[in-house]
C-alpha cells in the first residue's frame, strides 16, 4: 500500500484550523464548495464536466488533534475506495502544523499522482483561508 504524506505550517491558532477541518463550512471554504459534513460522514464533490468525481468518507475520529476518515463510496474514483485520510494538528511557536496522510492506495497510478498534487494545492488553500479568510476550494458545478 502507498501513502501520500505531507505537512504545512500555518500561522493561525490551532482552534481555527481545527474548525476548518471539522465543519461543513470549513470544508466548503478550502476544499470543495460542494461538500456535506455532519461529523459522521463527509462527502466531497469535484464536478469536472467530463468526469465528475465524488467521495464519501466515514469519520473514524474527530477530536482536538485532528480527524481521520475512511473512503466508503466513490463516483469515478475507485482508487480512493478504502483509503484513509488523516489530518493531524499540532501547535507550533508560530501557529499550527498540519500533517495530512492519505493512505491505502493499492498502486501508484494516475489517481495517486493527481492526488499528491491535489493535496498540496488544497493545503495551500487551507493556509490561504486561515491567513486571508479566502481559500481556493473546488467550485460547485454550474
Amino acid at each position: 500500500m502507498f501513502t501520500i504524506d505531507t505537512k504545512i505550517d500555518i500561522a493561525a491558532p490551532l482552534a481555527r484550523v481545527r474548525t476548518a477541518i471539522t465543519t461543513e463550512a470549513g470544508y466548503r471554504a478550502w476544499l470543495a464548495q460542494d461538500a456535506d459534513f455532519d461529523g459522521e460522514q463527509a462527502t466531497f464533490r469535484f464536478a469536472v464536466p467530463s468526469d465528475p468525481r465524488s467521495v464519501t468518507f466515514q469519520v473514524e475520529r474527530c477530536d482536538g488533534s485532528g480527524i481521520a476518515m475512511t473512503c466508503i463510496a466513490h463516483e469515478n474514483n475507485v482508487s480512493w475506495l478504502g483509503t484513509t485520510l488523516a489530518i493531524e494538528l499540532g501547535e507550533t511557536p508560530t501557529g499550527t502544523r498540519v500533517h495530512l496522510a492519505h493512505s491505502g492506495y493499492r498502486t501508484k497510478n494516475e489517481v495517486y499522482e493527481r492526488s499528491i498534487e491535489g493535496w498540496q494545492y488544497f493545503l495551500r488553500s487551507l493556509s490561504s483561508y486561515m491567513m486571508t479568510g479566502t481559500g481556493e476550494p473546488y467550485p460547485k458545478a454550474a
Side-chain angles (χ1 to χ4, degrees):
M1 297 288 192
F2 301 97
T3 299
I4 296 167
D5 192 305
T6 189
K7 296 175 186 167
I8 189 170
D9 286 347
I10 301 174
L14 188 140
R16 280 188 53 226
V17 180
R18 181 184 315 116
T19 297
I21 67 162
T22 61
T23 66
E24 185 173 284
Y27 282 117
R28 288 181 176 188
W30 68 272
L31 182 62
Q33 290 178 355
D34 194 357
D36 298 311
F37 181 83
D38 66 8
E40 294 181 16
Q41 282 194 351
T43 299
F44 308 111
R45 287 171 281 285
F46 306 95
V48 178
S50 62
D51 188 19
R53 295 181 183 274
S54 70
V55 292
T56 299
F57 290 89
Q58 179 69 43
V59 176
E60 308 296 337
R61 179 183 59 81
C62 183
D63 58 29
S65 65
I67 189 166
M69 49 189 153
T70 301
C71 182
I72 59 170
H74 69 88
E75 179 183 4
N76 294 334
N77 205 355
V78 70
S79 293
W80 277 29
L81 191 61
T83 62
T84 299
L85 175 63
I87 304 174
E88 302 296 332
L89 306 176
E91 285 189 86
T92 68
T94 59
T96 305
R97 174 161 293 150
V98 179
H99 177 202
L100 181 144
H102 192 174
S103 60
Y105 285 90
R106 290 170 195 79
T107 61
K108 286 187 175 180
N109 59 15
E110 179 184 340
V111 172
Y112 177 84
E113 296 300 327
R114 276 196 328 254
S115 295
I116 290 171
E117 294 171 10
W119 284 126
Q120 290 170 347
Y121 171 86
F122 287 118
L123 286 179
R124 287 189 305 271
S125 175
L126 173 62
S127 180
S128 176
Y129 174 54
M130 292 291 95
M131 300 305 298
T132 68
T134 303
E136 296 181 38
Y138 206 90
K140 280 188 173 185

